[in-house]
Amino acid sequence: MSGLARFGTRLLHLLPPEAAHSASLAALKSGLVPVPPGVTDPILRTSIAGLDLPNPVGLAAGYDKNGEVIDPLLKLGFGFVECGAVTPRPQAGNPKPRVFRLSDDRAVINRMGFNNAGLTALRSRLSARLGRKDIVGVNLGANKDSDDRTQDYVTSLQALNGLADFFTVNISSPNTPGLRALQSKAALDELLGRVMTARAAAPVFLKVAPDLKDEDLADIAASVRDNGIDALIVSNTTIERPETLASHDRAEAGGLSGRPLFERSTALLKAFAQTLNGAVPLIGVGGVEDAVTAYAKIRAGASAVQLYSALVYEGPGLIAQINRGLAERLKADGFTSVDHAVGADV
């Protein structure tokens, strides 16, 4: 990371977490964030669900909820960017404070509650960048007070058809009461069936929670296969609190992300890889903070990875660092592409 980027990251840590997030968005909009040298090694090129990626490192949903800085983020070196979560109607989210840095643990707890400007605002921004070739997806959520949450996903998907390269059905946020109940077999089959009927050409992904029991895993895998879902994102934040957490705010309610999630989410990723046996591609999320953790996700079965929390601590130079390190590790292990390394440890 350049000295300027490192200084900017330290400066943001002087602000409360949500204010720092807003400041970072403003910095990206204004062009104040240094753009690191690109990593264009062809060994990093890969594909997932028919989407060609320049590299397998993506931005997870939650940072650019309203699609405000998609292009500045892509310039930082991400192979793909996922904006959202979006809900049909604008939503304020949960009361503040609702984001907490666990600096000693390199982690974050959030209970944002799908705060976003709504479908109309995101549709307008995505329409304005039509025709660009970069891979951009949209994470779909449901309004907290919705009478039909399944319809919320269908409504957003239909409104944004043709404007995004993929859509993610997010039923795994712990911050909307009752949302995770949609992961049960009957509810999930109904949801995915209606969503897949409403979709046009873009792939549809499903994002699951890390707090699944063995029977949940089997049911979700079956539902994903039966409904023709194009990829599975493993995983969202956890409501569990490892005993190793040392930071002051470790008991705050919400979803825990970052380093403490790595082992749990990677074990679940590997379990899905074994259960699905290549039938559905996987995207690994949770605790990706360097080339070592990104490579471990790939070897555990992920065709691509996503990160967010690590940016809080490492800043915008992280993506290039990870991609350089991934290329080195792939070559050192004798792989000629990312695809050849996927599931090497499964």
Side-chain angles (χ1 to χ4, degrees), residues 286-310:
V288 175
E289 60 180 358
D290 52 23
V292 173
T293 46
Y295 191 41
K297 294 278 191 190
I298 290 169
R299 292 183 65 102
S303 295
V305 302
Q306 289 179 309
L307 58 87
Y308 174 6
S309 297

Side-chain angles (χ1 to χ4, degrees), residues 72-257:
L73 286 165
L74 287 163
K75 287 178 182 176
L76 296 181
F78 284 110
F80 61 109
V81 164
E82 185 175 341
C83 53
V86 65
T87 55
R89 289 174 284 108
Q91 187 161 275
N94 293 321
K96 299 178 181 179
R98 52 194 180 180
V99 190
F100 306 88
R101 289 189 206 101
L102 276 61
S103 298
D104 292 341
D105 306 291
R106 308 288 280 188
V108 174
I109 291 174
N110 93 82
R111 51 173 181 264
M112 300 294 284
F114 284 165
N115 60 306
N116 73 103
L119 188 54
T120 301
L122 182 59
R123 179 180 169 80
S124 175
R125 293 193 177 102
L126 291 175
S127 297
R129 61 181 314 281
L130 259 180
R132 303 191 187 183
K133 296 185 183 302
D134 307 291
I135 302 301
V136 176
V138 176
N139 189 284
L140 306 175
N143 281 114
K144 183 177 180 178
D145 60 353
S146 174
D147 293 328
D148 184 349
R149 286 179 172 171
T150 295
Q151 184 58 42
D152 280 10
Y153 293 98
V154 171
T155 296
S156 295
L157 181 65
Q158 289 176 325
L160 299 176
N161 267 332
L163 299 178
D165 297 291
F166 67 90
F167 295 98
T168 298
V169 177
N170 183 354
I171 54 170
S172 50
S173 170
N175 301 316
T176 297
L179 189 73
R180 287 189 174 191
L182 291 173
Q183 293 180 135
S184 67
K185 185 68 167 66
L188 187 57
D189 278 336
E190 181 191 357
L191 169 64
L192 297 183
R194 287 172 63 180
V195 165
M196 295 305 280
T197 299
R199 78 154 174 180
V204 173
F205 302 168
L206 175 68
K207 188 169 188 175
V208 296
D211 311 311
L212 298 175
K213 298 180 174 64
D214 289 344
E215 57 269 29
D216 297 328
L217 187 151
D219 284 346
I220 288 171
S223 191
V224 163
R225 277 193 306 255
D226 294 346
N227 288 283
I229 294 300
D230 297 286
L232 187 65
I233 301 179
V234 186
S235 63
N236 212 318
T237 58
T238 179
I239 57 175
E240 298 295 328
R241 295 293 182 267
E243 293 181 1
T244 54
L245 293 180
S247 300
H248 177 265
D249 291 322
R250 62 188 179 274
E252 289 287 346
L256 173 72
S257 59

